[in-house]
Amino acid sequence: MPHPPRFSEDDPYLHQVRAIALALPGAQEKVSHGRPTFFTVKVFAMYGAVVKGNHASQALARSVVILPDATEREALLQDPRFVIPGYVGAYGWLALDLTHGIPDWTEVAELIDASYRATAPTSLVRQLDRG
């Protein structure tokens, strides 16, 4: 049985995340586990997450989930906007709560870019670098 949608198509934060993610070479979108998920061969970003240990919470419904560089993960966790999401957090992923103040879309784009670079095939990363 498929998961019900856990997002709204008219969410302006989703529109911003989608525009950033889908501008990357070879990026595609699918709905996985009820949430918009952005991928090439592997997933590089998701919109929305569950709170680790509290899956009923809607606290991270408007978040972007990314895979940061392992060397930056601990520093990001010092910022209260970043949390370890349920399920994928154990694999290094972090969620940036977009409702914690006004989102800095340049920062969001940089985080998505870094996650993309960590997961995308080398040929796509080269395309990105050629711009």
Side-chain angles (χ1 to χ4, degrees):
M1 182 169 165
H3 291 274
R6 296 181 174 149
F7 64 97
S8 173
E9 277 297 336
D10 62 354
D11 181 344
Y13 290 179
L14 171 57
H15 285 273
Q16 286 281 11
V17 169
R18 182 178 279 149
I20 293 166
L22 294 179
L24 298 168
Q28 298 178 57
E29 179 182 352
K30 64 182 174 185
V31 175
S32 179
H33 297 90
R35 302 192 186 282
T37 303
F38 304 94
F39 68 99
T40 56
V41 175
K42 295 179 181 179
V43 171
F44 65 88
M46 295 166 269
Y47 184 75
V50 295
V51 175
K52 184 177 181 181
N54 184 359
H55 297 233
S57 172
Q58 291 296 312
L60 295 176
R62 295 175 93 189
S63 65
V64 62
V65 182
I66 49 91
L67 182 62
D69 184 272
T71 61
E72 295 179 10
R73 189 171 191 272
E74 288 306 314
L76 291 173
L77 282 171
Q78 299 307 308
D79 183 326
R81 299 172 302 151
F82 289 89
V83 296
I84 298 172
Y87 300 111
V88 297
Y91 302 100
W93 293 77
L94 294 179
L96 169 60
D97 180 358
L98 297 172
T99 66
H100 198 275
I102 298 170
D104 177 344
W105 294 110
T106 301
E107 176 188 38
V108 172
E110 289 170 359
L111 291 164
I112 291 173
D113 179 88
S115 188
Y116 175 90
R117 289 172 183 277
T119 61
T122 306
S123 60
L124 292 177
V125 174
R126 277 197 301 264
Q127 282 182 35
L128 180 62
D129 290 339
R130 285 194 296 253

